[in-house]
């Protein structure tokens, strides 16, 4: 894709004009008319106060000395966000993809904050950015692309959150707070959205107080849309579609004046075709394409013996006829960013027998369930105790054609199941004339899971994956002392004891000529364990120069769990593993409000030392000279950068927003075998990210108001794989969205027309280079889309 300098210049002018003369503010603030549902025609816009819980207690965003991008419910609605991945364009230094490399599903989140995250969605690998729903950790990237179902607030916490949130938050955390039941009367809303690709979405919510002490809330959604990648193979499915149901029910019981009991249950069911991967490049000289095309160099050498020759043209590199012979695998199957030749399900009956209790069926997708019990007990005037007990489970079944052709060069079928239980206790209060705010607590987490990944290659079928068990125990505390009315210091720490176990279930299931007999283990069938005992400290010093201007400096440490390599070939006698990743982060920042709270400007500068990075390395199988790819702790990096976020209200009913992120990320050292160079870009880490928006409300007849809004986002060059494969390095991208919203005087009706990606930019959001399979594939963004929504609130 080509980027024009004029687009970036225009965006820079927009952002500069917002900053000039006034001080901008945080994205997510919305008109008070929406926040309070007061008559829109008579209420002027103002910067919205957002309450956050980044420090496990309710605080004003501007009083919290942490870099946070916060989205209120009104801000989410104004931007037209339907799932959490769409915040990607509105938070500096955040990269949030709804699918990951190798993933067959569009619900495998890949999240990076300030250059740190994780692409691999396999069960044995943990994410680098934690996702929390009402304080409950969502442990797996599968199912991490959550619907915006009755969401009250989203907080993007930047930098390691190891003290209060624990492991796997070395990049940061995304905390989602849902709307709790209210005692203010019966209320609710219903919304219908239609759009391009036969989109049809429905949302309902209902709040029902049952008594003075008991209230319930129900919310549900249905999302449906055809795939945007056209399948040119007869009978093949279009890719990248949507078809999900989601529901949530919650109950709030005020058991006594001092005790609140909050129970929530949620579930979702996604039944869709595979993710929108397409073929970008095909190397017919790679080993598996050669085998698929009929290679038989030496019958005595089992690696080169396949025993079939579909066409002599396939192996004749000088024959143009091979590029039109449908029995050959080569570049003829490259169809463009929005077209593919993909099989849906495996045609091999053996694969059906290898799926545990789940026969091959077009009914593929993901199912999730969660339940949590949140108890809040106020003990006296200054101490409270909170208990959060939660259980979650997820299951999935997917099939993916990686070669995007009618041939079998590389196809995968995945069976996935995971469940988790967590218990957290928090005790917090204030002492020393309320100058000392303290919090101590304990945390327990356990999970079990099964991930069977069946790999069909030209020449063999084998299992990958296995079983995972994890146990995590932690003690934590954080203390904030107001030395003066202006100066405060925060000290915190967390001790974690974690054991992670992996039992591979990986063996050759069928030999189609590759020469490795069925039954040969790819990895030994035994349990392997990684134990980590980590202490993650936190120090923060904050100073309020005025009631509206604060500066702070902090140091924090975090770690991400160790991992095991489950995708291994050729077979190995050991189980490759890697120790936890670690980061040390230093940050200075400021938060400010100006012009009688009509303008906000928040910013931060940071420096991160990233150690023991889990990266792919080329390593010989023990006892042989055969080279394979595994994951080891083989890299160190340094990441430094900054952020600015703004929100300005220079005139009644006019809102200007902007954000600017800068990242200077470099590898500092690499160990032998690392499949990287020191000059490579860190994956999903653009140097620049920018967003800007303008909205202006115009009063029309009978108290109705129309609000046009324009959003702009720019991302500089970004690498979609760690090896920086040139075809997967995306050049700078500029995106433009626009919406027109009509609301009545009582804010009961809202009609919104929206167009996303107005300029119809095509750009990569994920990709993988499988050199043995001779395949480079990727996922391109959605093309231009329009939608029309009608919402009724009561």
């Amino acid at each position: 894709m080509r980027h024009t300098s004029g687009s970036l210049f225009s965006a820079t002018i927009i952002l500069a004009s917002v900053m000039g003369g006034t001080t901008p503010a945080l994205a997510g603030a919305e008109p008070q008319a929406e926040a309070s549902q007061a008559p829109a025609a008579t209420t002027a816009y103002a910067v919205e106060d957002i309450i956050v819980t980044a420090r496990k207690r309710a605080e004003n965003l501007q009083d919290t000395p942490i870099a946070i991008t916060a989205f209120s419910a009104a801000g989410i609605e104004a931007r037209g966000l339907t799932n959490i991945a769409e915040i990607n364009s509105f938070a500096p230094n955040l990269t949030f993809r709804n699918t990951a490399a190798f993933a067959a599903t569009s619900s495998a989140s890949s999240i990076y904050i300030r250059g740190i995250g994780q692409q691999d969605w396999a069960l044995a690998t943990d994410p680098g950015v934690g996702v929390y729903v009402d304080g409950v950790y969502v442990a797996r990237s599968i199912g991490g692309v959550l619907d915006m179902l009755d969401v009250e607030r989203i907080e993007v916490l930047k930098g390691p959150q190891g003290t209060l949130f624990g492991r796997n938050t070395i990049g940061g955390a995304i905390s989602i707070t849902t709307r709790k039941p209210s005692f203010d009367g019966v209320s609710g809303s219903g919304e219908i959205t239609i759009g391009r690709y036969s989109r049809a979405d429905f949302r309902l919510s209902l709040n029902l107080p049952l008594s003075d002490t008991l209230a319930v809330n129900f919310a549900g959604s249905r999302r449906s849309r055809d795939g945007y990648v056209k399948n040119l193979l007869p009978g093949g499915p279009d890719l990248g579609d949507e078809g999900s149901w989601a529901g949530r029910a919650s109950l709030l019981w005020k058991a006594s004046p001092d005790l609140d009991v909050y129970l929530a249950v949620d579930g979702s069911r996604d039944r869709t075709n595979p993710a929108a991967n397409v073929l970008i490049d095909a190397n017919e000289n790679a080993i598996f394409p050669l085998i698929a095309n009929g290679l038989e160099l030496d019958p005595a050498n089992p690696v080169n013996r396949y025993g079939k020759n579909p066409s002599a043209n396939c192996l004749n590199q000088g024959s143009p006829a091979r590029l039109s012979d449908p029995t050959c695998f080569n570049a003829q199957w490259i169809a463009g960013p929005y077209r593919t030749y993909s099989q849906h399900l495996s045609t091999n009956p053996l694969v059906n027998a290898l799926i545990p209790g789940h026969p091959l069926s077009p009914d593929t997708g993901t199912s999730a369930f969660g339940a949590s019990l949140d108890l809040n007990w106020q003990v006296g005037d200054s101490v409270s105790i909170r208990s959060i007990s939660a259980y979650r489970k997820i299951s999935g079944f997917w099939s993916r054609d990686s070669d995007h052709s009618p041939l079998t060069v590389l196809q995968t079928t995945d069976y996935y199941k995971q469940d988790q239980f967590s218990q957290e206790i928090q005790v917090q209060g204030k002492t020393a004339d309320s100058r000392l705010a303290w919090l101590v607590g304990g945390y327990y987490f356990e999970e079990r899971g099964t991930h069977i990944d069946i790999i069909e290659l030209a020449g063999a079928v084998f299992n990958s994956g296995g079983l995972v068990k994890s146990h995590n125990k932690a003690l934590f505390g954080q203390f904030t002392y107001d030395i003066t009315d202006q100066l405060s210091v925060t000290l915190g720490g967390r001790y974690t004891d974690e054991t992670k176990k992996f039992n591979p279930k990986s063996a050759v299931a069928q030999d189609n000529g590759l020469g490795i007999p069925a039954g040969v283990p790819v990895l030994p069938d035994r349990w392997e364990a990684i134990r980590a005992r980590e202490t993650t400290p936190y120090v923060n010093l904050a100073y309020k120069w005025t009631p509206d201007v604060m500066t702070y400096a902090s140091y924090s440490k975090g770690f991400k769990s160790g991992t095991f390599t489950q995708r291994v070939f050729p077979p190995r006698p050991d189980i490759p593993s890697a120790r936890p990743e670690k980061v040390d982060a230093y940050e200075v920042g400021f938060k400010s409000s100006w012009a009688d709270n009509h303008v906000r400007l928040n910013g931060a500068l940071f420096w991160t030392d990233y150690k023991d990075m889990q990266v792919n390395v080329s390593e010989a199988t023990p006892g042989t000279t055969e080279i394979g790819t595994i994951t080891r702790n083989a890299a160190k990096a340094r990441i430094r950068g900054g952020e600015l976020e703004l929100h300005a209200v220079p005139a009644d009913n006019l809102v200007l927003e902007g954000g600017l992120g800068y990242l200077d990320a470099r590898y500092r050292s690499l160990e032998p075998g690392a499949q990287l160079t020191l000059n490579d870009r860190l994956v999903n880490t653009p140097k620049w990210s920018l967003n800007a928006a303008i909205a202006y409300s115009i009063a029309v007849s009978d108290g109705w108001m129309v609000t046009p809004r324009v959003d702009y986002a720019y991302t500089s060059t970004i690498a979609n794989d760690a090896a920086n494969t040139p075809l997967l390095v995306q050049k700078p991208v500029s995106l433009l969205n626009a919406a027109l919203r009509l609301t009545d005087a009582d804010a009961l009706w809202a009609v919104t027309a929206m167009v996303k990606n107005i300029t119809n930019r095509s750009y990569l959001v994920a990709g993988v280079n499988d050199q043995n399979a001779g395949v480079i594939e990727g996922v391109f963004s959605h093309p231009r889309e329009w939608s029309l929504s009608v919402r009724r609130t009561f």
Side-chain angles (χ1 to χ4, degrees):
M1 176 185 304
R2 179 178 300 172
H3 167 70
T4 60
S5 59
S7 298
L8 178 57
F9 177 75
S10 299
T12 305
I13 291 298
I14 293 173
L15 188 60
S17 66
V18 176
M19 291 183 171
T22 60
T23 320
L26 192 74
E30 289 301 313
Q32 290 179 345
E34 290 186 335
S36 64
Q37 294 188 357
T42 59
T43 305
Y45 278 82
V47 175
E48 181 186 22
D49 286 333
I50 300 180
I51 302 301
V52 298
T53 53
R55 298 200 289 181
K56 302 288 188 179
R57 62 177 186 262
E59 299 175 290
N60 189 295
L61 174 68
Q62 295 303 102
D63 295 330
T64 309
I66 300 173
I68 307 171
T69 298
F71 301 88
S72 67
I76 292 168
E77 182 180 352
R79 293 170 175 85
L81 307 182
T82 59
N83 68 67
I84 187 176
E86 293 177 338
I87 67 175
N88 172 77
S89 297
F90 305 100
N93 292 334
L94 168 70
T95 302
F96 196 139
R97 307 305 194 196
N98 69 347
T99 190
F102 293 105
T105 170
S106 296
S107 64
S109 61
S110 177
I111 313 172
Y112 282 70
I113 296 178
R114 292 180 175 177
I116 300 177
Q118 179 57 253
Q119 279 191 305
D120 197 344
W121 58 279
L123 183 61
T125 300
D126 288 75
V129 173
V131 175
Y132 296 79
V133 179
D134 291 333
V136 176
Y137 177 49
V138 180
R140 297 293 114 207
S141 60
I142 292 293
V145 184
L146 304 171
D147 281 356
M148 295 291 189
L149 191 60
D150 237 14
V151 172
E152 178 181 286
R153 181 178 70 254
I154 299 174
E155 301 169 38
V156 180
L157 314 180
K158 299 175 182 180
Q161 305 296 317
T163 298
L164 293 182
F165 290 87
R167 64 181 184 139
N168 302 334
T169 58
I170 57 173
I174 297 178
S175 177
I176 302 168
T177 301
T178 62
R179 184 178 291 109
K180 289 182 172 58
S182 168
F183 296 95
D184 292 336
V186 177
S187 62
S189 66
E191 183 176 6
I192 299 175
T193 302
I194 59 173
R196 192 181 182 190
Y197 299 108
S198 302
R199 177 180 174 183
D201 296 352
F202 306 90
R203 292 178 181 272
L204 293 170
S205 68
L206 174 65
N207 180 81
L208 187 63
L210 302 179
S211 69
D212 292 340
T213 59
L214 187 66
V216 293
N217 194 11
F218 302 96
S221 71
R222 163 65 174 167
R223 291 199 295 147
S224 176
R225 180 168 53 180
D226 292 342
Y228 66 94
V229 172
K230 178 69 176 176
N231 199 333
L232 303 178
L233 195 66
D238 294 341
L239 307 183
D241 62 326
E242 293 183 0
S244 66
W245 293 89
R248 182 177 182 86
S250 58
L251 177 149
L252 179 60
W253 175 36
K254 290 190 171 294
S256 74
D258 299 323
L259 177 62
D260 286 353
V261 178
Y262 177 58
L263 175 67
V265 178
D266 67 89
S268 64
R269 183 177 185 270
D270 182 305
R271 294 295 180 266
T272 59
N273 298 324
N277 289 280
V278 298
L279 186 63
I280 296 175
D281 191 41
N283 177 13
E284 57 193 309
N285 294 313
I287 180 62
F288 293 120
L290 284 173
I291 294 173
N293 287 339
L295 178 67
E296 188 175 13
L297 294 179
D298 182 1
N301 184 348
V303 175
N304 294 326
R305 188 181 75 246
Y306 188 46
K308 79 168 189 176
N309 191 359
S311 170
N313 287 329
C314 295
L315 299 176
N316 183 358
Q317 300 295 301
S319 171
R322 78 187 194 287
L323 295 174
S324 58
D325 186 340
T327 67
C328 301
F329 180 77
N330 48 43
Q332 68 178 298
W333 303 111
I334 301 173
Y338 300 120
R339 298 195 299 177
T340 186
Y341 297 90
S342 290
Q343 304 179 65
H344 186 19
L345 295 169
S346 171
T347 58
N348 189 334
L350 174 65
V351 174
N352 187 70
L354 295 173
I355 298 296
H358 198 312
L360 288 176
S361 163
D363 187 25
T364 64
T366 307
S367 298
F369 169 81
S372 64
L373 177 64
D374 190 341
L375 306 177
N376 275 277
W377 181 28
Q378 187 68 38
V379 183
D381 294 332
S382 59
V383 177
S384 65
I385 301 174
R386 185 181 184 188
S387 167
I388 306 174
S389 310
Y391 171 80
R392 299 194 67 84
K393 68 176 182 178
I394 190 164
S395 61
F397 171 71
W398 318 282
S399 184
R400 186 170 77 97
D401 184 5
S402 298
D403 57 74
H404 302 273
S405 78
L407 308 175
T408 300
V409 179
L410 175 61
Q411 186 157 340
T412 63
T413 302
D414 288 271
Y415 170 80
Y416 191 101
K417 185 178 182 180
Q418 181 260 0
D419 64 86
Q420 64 178 66
F421 170 79
S422 61
Q423 174 65 56
E424 182 167 354
I425 300 291
Q426 303 169 14
V427 183
Q428 60 178 295
K430 291 187 176 183
T431 58
D433 294 328
S434 295
R435 286 191 173 276
L436 176 64
W438 54 270
L439 180 149
V440 295
Y443 181 76
Y444 176 78
F445 172 89
E446 66 177 23
E447 71 170 329
R448 297 173 182 264
T450 301
H451 183 187
I452 302 301
D453 185 5
I454 301 171
I455 312 295
E456 291 184 82
L457 300 170
V461 177
F462 67 94
N463 291 350
S464 178
L467 312 178
V468 169
K469 295 180 182 178
S470 295
H471 293 84
N472 178 282
K473 295 172 286 185
L475 296 173
F476 59 89
Q478 187 159 294
F479 305 84
T480 299
Y481 183 70
D482 295 333
I483 300 172
T484 70
D485 291 341
Q486 295 173 292
L487 178 64
S488 64
V489 61
T490 299
L491 300 176
R494 188 184 191 101
Y495 173 76
T496 301
D497 185 348
E498 176 184 74
T499 300
K500 184 175 182 179
K501 298 180 179 180
F502 179 55
N503 183 183
K505 297 296 180 182
S506 185
V508 176
Q510 186 178 68
D511 176 26
N512 295 329
L514 192 59
I516 304 178
V520 171
V522 177
L523 289 173
D525 186 356
R526 68 169 188 261
W527 286 98
E528 192 83 5
I530 300 172
R531 186 172 186 182
R533 295 174 175 175
E534 301 287 345
T535 300
T536 48
Y538 177 74
V539 180
N540 182 290
L541 191 66
Y543 187 81
K544 277 203 166 187
W545 300 88
T546 72
D548 296 322
V549 178
M550 175 181 65
T551 57
Y552 66 89
S554 68
Y555 163 77
S556 58
K557 187 173 183 177
F559 81 99
K560 183 169 83 71
S561 299
T563 188
F564 300 91
T565 306
Q566 75 171 50
R567 302 183 188 94
V568 174
F569 209 81
R572 297 177 62 99
D574 62 335
I575 302 173
S577 64
R579 303 183 309 277
E581 294 184 340
K582 299 177 183 179
V583 297
D584 290 277
Y586 309 85
E587 179 176 322
V588 294
F590 69 92
K591 295 195 172 182
S592 62
S593 299
W594 306 89
D596 196 21
N597 201 33
H598 280 73
V599 176
R600 288 182 184 172
L601 176 66
N602 297 337
L605 297 173
F606 53 88
W607 179 293
T608 304
D609 286 326
Y610 194 2
K611 298 171 288 187
D612 295 322
M613 295 176 66
Q614 300 164 1
V615 299
N616 286 341
V617 301
S618 298
E619 182 177 289
T621 299
T624 75
T625 59
E626 296 179 315
I627 302 297
T629 298
I630 62 173
T631 300
R632 297 288 194 201
N633 303 98
K636 295 181 181 179
R638 180 267 294 153
I639 305 171
R640 61 188 180 190
E643 294 147 357
L644 282 175
E645 296 187 89
L646 62 89
H647 189 121
V649 189
D652 284 354
N653 298 347
L654 173 64
V655 174
L656 302 174
E657 298 173 348
L660 180 66
Y662 171 76
L663 290 173
D664 178 10
R666 301 176 184 274
Y667 291 106
R668 302 184 70 176
S669 65
L670 300 173
E671 294 186 5
Q675 297 177 353
L676 304 166
T677 72
L678 289 175
N679 293 324
D680 282 340
R681 300 173 185 270
L682 271 66
V683 66
N684 282 336
T685 306
K687 189 171 186 176
W688 292 99
S689 57
L690 181 148
N691 66 82
I694 180 171
Y696 185 74
S697 293
I698 305 168
V700 293
S701 61
D702 298 326
W704 285 74
M705 184 169 287
V706 61
T707 305
R709 179 185 173 100
V710 177
D711 283 279
Y712 172 87
Y714 167 82
T715 303
S716 63
T717 300
I718 187 170
N720 283 290
D721 72 334
N724 286 201
T725 301
L727 289 175
L728 296 179
V729 175
Q730 176 59 57
K731 298 302 182 182
V733 174
S734 295
L735 297 176
L736 193 65
N737 299 338
L740 190 65
R741 188 174 188 218
L742 179 67
T743 56
D744 69 328
D746 297 320
L748 299 178
W749 286 95
V751 180
T752 305
M754 179 172 290
V755 180
K756 294 186 176 181
N757 192 6
I758 291 175
T759 56
N760 205 28
R761 304 303 299 267
S762 172
Y763 59 98
L764 277 169
V765 297
V768 62
N769 178 11
D770 193 322
Q771 296 184 11
N772 289 327
V775 169
I776 298 177
E777 59 176 331
V779 177
F780 286 85
S781 66
H782 284 79
R784 179 170 49 236
E785 293 182 297
W786 62 268
S787 65
L788 179 65
S789 301
V790 178
R791 179 176 180 177
R792 176 65 163 91
T793 302
F794 60 89

